[in-house]
Amino acid sequence: MAAYASIFGRDPEETYRQVDASGRTAEADGPALVQLLYEEAIRALRTAAWATENQQYAMKSDKLTRATAILFALESGLDFDSGGDVAVTLSRLYNGARNSIVAASLGNDPAPFRNVASTLAEIAEAWRTVRSG
């Protein structure tokens, strides 16, 4: 069992989530992948807020690192040539979100993490609407 834990981690739920996300990522087209990234960033930020409230600092750090990396990935995927003003606006938003996360990461207030998650959830919903319409 120790070998299992060292390979897959100690948290079975997180392991399942990673395997599920990996499977969905492998099958996702560009727009679906962006949707998955939003979902993962929102989940990470909401978990970081919970961890902050419950003094689970290692979890908080892990989730904030994940959310920040996802925001970098979203920004690096922007096409400034074709995206025009929308790409510039999203780049500013992702940068601002990262700055908010980093600034709040040393404190004990979960609100900034929830605020960024809410903003990303609004964008994700708009993205979902555009994709289905």
Side-chain angles (χ1 to χ4, degrees):
M1 189 64 131
Y4 172 82
S6 65
I7 293 171
F8 295 108
R10 297 185 190 274
D11 182 353
E13 182 179 347
E14 182 63 25
T15 300
Y16 171 79
R17 192 172 288 136
Q18 288 175 357
V19 169
D20 178 55
S22 295
R24 290 187 300 153
T25 301
E27 297 173 3
D29 60 0
L33 181 58
V34 170
Q35 191 68 47
L36 286 172
L37 289 171
Y38 277 119
E39 290 170 11
E40 284 298 312
I42 293 163
R43 182 179 297 117
L45 288 164
R46 288 179 176 159
T47 302
W50 178 90
T52 301
E53 292 173 331
N54 291 280
Q55 300 177 352
Q56 300 292 318
Y57 300 117
M59 179 186 293
K60 172 186 170 184
S61 176
D62 179 58
K63 298 305 177 184
L64 293 179
T65 299
R66 182 168 181 78
T68 302
I70 291 169
L71 289 166
F72 273 117
L74 286 166
E75 186 172 14
S76 72
L78 293 173
D79 182 348
F80 291 96
D81 293 332
S82 300
D85 290 340
V86 172
V88 171
T89 300
L90 286 172
S91 177
R92 288 183 183 144
L93 179 117
Y94 297 149
N95 187 36
R98 282 193 317 269
N99 288 338
S100 294
I101 291 167
V102 170
S105 67
L106 297 177
N108 293 315
D109 183 4
F113 310 131
R114 286 198 177 95
N115 291 342
V116 173
S118 293
T119 299
L120 292 178
E122 289 177 28
I123 296 168
E125 183 57 36
W127 183 260
R128 192 176 300 113
T129 301
V130 168
R131 285 188 65 221
S132 66

